[in-house]
Amino acid sequence: MNLRQLEAFRATMRSGSITEAANVMHISQPSVSRLIADLERSVGFALFLRSGRGLSPTVEARTFYRAVEGMFTSVDRLQDLADSIRTTSGGVISIGTIQSVAMLELPKVVGGMHHEAPDVRFMIHTRNTPSILDAVQTRQIDIGVVGRQPPYGGVEILFQTSAPYVCLIPESHDLVGQDGSVDLEALTETEAFVTFGGAFPDEMMAMEPDLSNRLRTRSRLSATNMPLAASLVRESGVLAIADPFTAEHAVRMGGVVFRPIRQELNYHVAIIASGRDALSRQAVEFSERLAKRLAARVEYVSSFMIDRKKT
């Protein structure tokens, strides 16, 4: 006895004929007949009596049908519950994100989901990577977007990628009219850079310590994050090394441009959670949408950087 045989029996009892049962099940009439015959062999008694061109259920079939109908009623309720869970748009997604992703990419994804599922509540916190890691590990937030090279302890990586850092330059600077990549080694002799908290994040950028020290020596401006550094470039006329997400936002704000860097400095970004199985369906969907958008942005920036370096 299997579910398909019971479906054929139920459809035949409800419709009163093999032909109608076949239409309901979207299969052939002989297939319905075979399913019922197999079920009769399984239960050990006849289910229908052939009378002329019609069918008449046996007494045993009527008794058996009541139990079968009760079982399918329970299945229908399960389907209704599944449909409700699938289509329910409510819930809360808590996100901790670095500021570079919080400015453009993340709002785009949140906006798209908000229009499609307005009952979903988003709680978004901008923090630095160590704080986000701690919050995800202790399950204070569902999803984290961090900007540091792995490994990350105690979390599951849902997505990770990297893209080259760029040099952020005021529009009025002489470097704007030149082609190709900029050489940080050469610029340490003539230019000032915005630093971060008094020093370049060497580990994050994988920058050579000597180059970092020379850039820091010339610096008179320090910022605690890259978006602020980008604003300082616009207002002060100095340069900054920026991740591609911050650079894109800064260019949209006006007054600055960015160029490729000859040195291989890579910006890492990852989407993390305490575990995928701990996320709601909506949170998983959000992480997948954000991953797709970040991947597209990185692909665009990387191809743009390659083209610019060749010129």
Side-chain angles (χ1 to χ4, degrees):
M1 184 188 307
N2 59 47
L3 184 61
R4 196 62 171 162
Q5 293 168 1
L6 295 175
E7 287 177 337
F9 170 64
R10 183 193 189 205
T12 304
M13 288 290 292
R14 283 185 159 193
S15 64
S17 75
I18 296 288
T19 301
E20 289 301 319
N23 292 333
V24 170
M25 297 181 67
H26 304 291
I27 59 177
S28 67
Q29 185 174 335
S31 295
V32 175
S33 297
R34 280 194 298 272
L35 288 169
I36 291 176
D38 291 341
L39 181 59
E40 287 178 326
R41 281 191 291 272
S42 178
V43 298
F45 51 81
L47 295 171
F48 296 99
L49 299 175
R50 278 69 180 175
S51 56
R53 299 182 62 182
L55 289 178
S56 297
T58 63
V59 173
E60 293 83 1
R62 295 182 187 278
T63 302
F64 188 59
Y65 174 69
R66 287 193 290 270
V68 170
E69 190 62 42
M71 182 199 74
F72 274 98
T73 299
S74 298
V75 171
D76 291 342
R77 288 174 180 170
L78 287 174
Q79 185 62 57
D80 291 341
L81 176 60
D83 292 341
S84 175
I85 293 172
R86 185 181 67 253
T87 58
T88 295
S89 58
V92 178
I93 305 175
S94 56
I95 306 157
T97 178
I98 50 177
Q99 288 191 336
S100 58
V101 176
M103 293 183 298
L104 285 177
E105 309 304 334
L106 188 139
K108 290 286 188 181
V109 177
V110 170
M113 285 193 66
H114 173 70
H115 289 301
E116 296 175 18
D119 290 339
V120 175
R121 294 176 57 200
F122 290 90
M123 300 179 64
I124 304 169
H125 313 269
T126 54
R127 303 179 180 178
N128 59 29
T129 290
S131 177
I132 295 170
L133 281 169
D134 180 69
V136 172
Q137 289 166 354
T138 56
R139 302 201 174 190
Q140 298 177 52
I141 57 176
D142 300 318
I143 295 172
V145 185
V146 295
R148 193 182 74 189
Q149 187 172 3
Y152 315 108
V155 299
E156 180 178 346
I157 299 175
L158 305 178
F159 169 81
Q160 60 181 327
T161 187
S162 63
Y165 278 93
V166 298
C167 185
L168 210 54
I169 306 168
E171 281 185 340
S172 58
H173 201 284
D174 292 341
L175 287 171
V176 173
Q178 300 178 22
D179 294 326
S181 58
V182 299
D183 184 356
L184 296 180
E185 295 282 354
L187 292 179
T188 57
E189 304 297 327
T190 59
E191 302 295 334
F193 280 75
V194 180
T195 56
F196 303 94
F200 279 93
D202 300 344
E203 180 181 350
M204 184 172 70
M205 292 186 178
M207 182 183 292
E208 292 293 333
D210 179 64
L211 176 58
S212 175
N213 288 334
R214 279 185 283 157
L215 292 169
R216 185 171 61 250
T217 299
R218 295 186 59 86
S219 174
R220 297 296 180 268
L221 298 173
S222 177
T224 56
N225 57 67
M226 288 189 178
L228 176 55
S231 296
L232 290 174
V233 172
R234 181 183 300 107
E235 301 300 330
S236 68
V238 301
L239 311 184
I241 299 172
D243 66 85
F245 305 104
T246 297
E248 177 70 16
H249 178 72
V251 169
R252 293 190 183 194
M253 294 290 291
V256 298
V257 300
F258 63 85
R259 287 182 56 190
I261 295 174
R262 182 171 302 175
Q263 285 73 20
E264 295 295 331
L265 306 178
N266 288 313
Y267 180 75
H268 297 268
V269 62
I271 303 173
I272 60 173
S274 60
R276 182 180 291 269
D277 58 352
L279 297 177
S280 66
R281 177 180 58 83
Q282 293 91 347
V284 171
E285 180 181 355
F286 170 81
S287 68
E288 291 173 348
R289 289 191 183 198
L290 181 59
K292 184 176 181 180
R293 185 164 185 88
L294 292 177
R297 170 60 58 185
V298 167
E299 182 179 2
Y300 166 75
V301 172
S302 298
S303 63
F304 175 78
M305 292 295 101
I306 292 173
D307 292 341
R308 291 293 297 272
K309 281 188 176 184
K310 291 178 180 178
T311 59

